[in-house]
Amino acid sequence: QWTLTLLSAWWAIGQLVASIVAWGFIGNFSCASDVPVGQCPKAENMGWRYTLQVIHLFIVQTGALTLLMFICRFFIFNLQESPKYLIANGRDEEAIKVMEHLAHKNGKSISLTLGQLQEIQGSATLPPRTMLQVVKESFSHLSLSHVKPLFAGKKLAINSSITILLWGLIGLAYPLFSAFLPFYLRDRVPSGNSAVSVTYRNYTIVSVLGIPGSLIACAVVDWTRRSGKYSFGGRKLVMAVSTTLTGIFLFLFTTSNSQAAVLGYTCTTSVTSYMYGVLYAYTPEVFPAPHRGTGDSIASSFNRITGILSPVIKIATTSAVGATGANVNGPIFVSASLFLIAALLMLFLPIETAGKAAL
């Protein structure tokens, strides 16, 4: 279960790679920050173009990153195909081998044989299906049969509703700060020839500290303590503490008057915002197994939908307060407030999963 939390480290690593590229090119091939709008010639402002070209070349055109993942997939991580998928396509023998492999990895053995499996299915085997047929069949049975069980009973209904709402709140609060972080850093760096380079240097430092944040989440995701009949810790408390600290340091960020304070509060926020990693582990555990995919999809979709609103809110808040003064702080106040609301909601989650099997 903790390995699912560890996956959040890749998000931080990806941001770090992009930050280093941006620092190298945008920081050295851009006009000074005090150059008036419209007076920066293209020849002196190629940094962002170089950045996009390098990232596009590395990921899309050469497929270098994809090739690396391909090598890891087949030679480092021995991932198995889903037995359910294999059985659905009439590949029973392969499904038995996969289940035997999984049992062996867990120090167990299975008694199910190929003959028993085929006897259960009947004499006829399912014909292989194309991907298009699988997609058509999936949509032909589209219904709420996998949605309603997510809210069966008062306890599960409350927990599912809060979990989905948390994905939405954090999906809005997180990019409202992180997606526009270079702009916030730029507005707090004195203008001049080196201002752009300093901005992206700071952004790279902040990105570096996102990695230990994910490792902290990995270390504490199963942390819990028992004292008699009372328990302390668990996923809910770890998420609530992380989210609260993130909100507090964002509020402190708005009070910073020096570059050192700006960088310090931003770095601390990057370390404490590991609630995403814990939420990754918690969410699939609290949805019933037969309907887990549907619950995860709803939560993820709501996360993306609210994330779309972040640039709208940034524009609205900066326009409402004018062009000077607190215009930079408006979106950060909104982000910090959303984090604190999310932290409060986490404490009301009725289901704790630390040290327990998933539903």
Side-chain angles (χ1 to χ4, degrees), residues 5-332:
T5 303
L6 185 60
L7 290 177
S8 63
W10 290 102
W11 190 335
I13 293 172
Q15 180 176 327
L16 174 60
V17 172
S19 302
I20 293 174
V21 174
W23 181 20
F25 288 106
I26 299 180
N28 293 288
F29 300 98
S30 300
C31 295
S33 59
D34 54 359
V35 173
V37 176
Q39 298 184 24
C40 178
K42 177 181 177 180
E44 298 178 14
N45 194 39
M46 294 295 292
W48 67 270
R49 295 175 174 86
Y50 293 150
T51 299
L52 293 181
Q53 288 174 355
V54 169
I55 293 177
H56 184 269
L57 179 66
F58 180 63
I59 296 178
V60 182
Q61 291 183 343
T62 64
L65 187 59
T66 305
L67 178 61
L68 176 61
M69 294 300 104
F70 172 84
I71 294 173
C72 292
R73 160 66 177 83
F74 282 95
F75 299 103
I76 299 180
F77 303 105
N78 187 15
L79 300 180
Q80 301 293 308
E81 184 56 85
S82 164
K84 181 179 179 181
Y85 171 81
L86 294 173
I87 292 174
N89 285 274
R91 297 158 62 181
D92 297 347
E93 186 173 356
E94 294 177 60
I96 291 292
K97 290 181 178 179
V98 170
M99 288 187 282
E100 289 175 345
H101 172 82
L102 296 175
H104 176 72
K105 280 289 185 180
N106 288 277
K108 306 290 183 180
S109 61
I110 63 171
S111 59
L112 180 65
T113 65
L114 178 60
Q116 291 173 328
L117 182 60
Q118 291 177 339
E119 183 180 347
I120 294 172
Q121 291 181 333
S123 56
T125 57
L126 294 173
R129 297 179 297 172
T130 64
M131 183 60 68
L132 181 59
Q133 290 174 323
V134 172
V135 173
K136 285 183 177 180
E137 289 183 18
S138 299
F139 281 97
S140 66
H141 301 292
L142 191 63
S143 68
L144 297 178
S145 60
H146 285 290
V147 176
K148 292 180 180 179
L150 299 174
F151 304 92
K154 181 179 179 181
K155 184 177 182 180
L156 186 58
I158 293 174
N159 205 86
S160 296
S161 300
I162 294 178
T163 301
I164 294 171
L165 182 58
L166 287 175
W167 276 96
L169 288 174
I170 296 177
L172 175 57
Y174 191 84
L176 194 57
F177 177 73
S178 61
F180 301 103
L181 183 55
F183 298 99
Y184 302 145
L185 294 175
R186 178 201 63 190
D187 290 335
R188 286 168 167 79
V189 174
S191 60
N193 293 327
S194 63
V196 177
S197 179
V198 170
T199 295
Y200 283 93
R201 179 208 64 187
N202 293 349
Y203 188 59
T204 302
I205 295 173
V206 172
S207 300
V208 170
L209 291 174
I211 298 176
S214 296
L215 298 180
I216 291 174
C218 192
V220 302
V221 68
D222 284 323
W223 183 80
T224 184
R225 291 288 182 272
R226 284 194 171 274
S227 177
K229 64 178 180 179
Y230 299 102
S231 62
F232 181 78
R235 309 258 201 275
K236 297 188 296 183
L237 182 63
V238 170
M239 284 193 297
V241 170
S242 166
T243 311
T244 300
L245 290 175
T246 301
I248 290 174
F249 282 111
L250 283 180
F251 276 122
L252 292 175
F253 177 85
T254 64
T255 66
S256 53
N257 296 316
S258 65
Q259 288 191 51
V262 169
L263 184 58
Y265 287 134
T266 310
C267 288
T268 309
T269 299
S270 183
V271 173
T272 60
S273 57
Y274 54 80
M275 80 294 293
Y276 246 138
V278 183
L279 195 59
Y280 279 140
Y282 178 82
T283 301
E285 293 173 338
V286 294
F287 291 135
H291 318 289
R292 185 170 296 149
T294 301
D296 289 344
S297 299
I298 294 174
S300 179
S301 299
F302 192 44
N303 176 272
R304 301 302 191 274
I305 291 171
T306 56
I308 296 174
L309 299 176
S310 59
V312 178
I313 293 178
K314 181 180 185 298
I315 294 173
T317 52
T318 53
S319 299
V321 295
T324 59
N327 66 314
V328 176
N329 292 334
I332 303 176

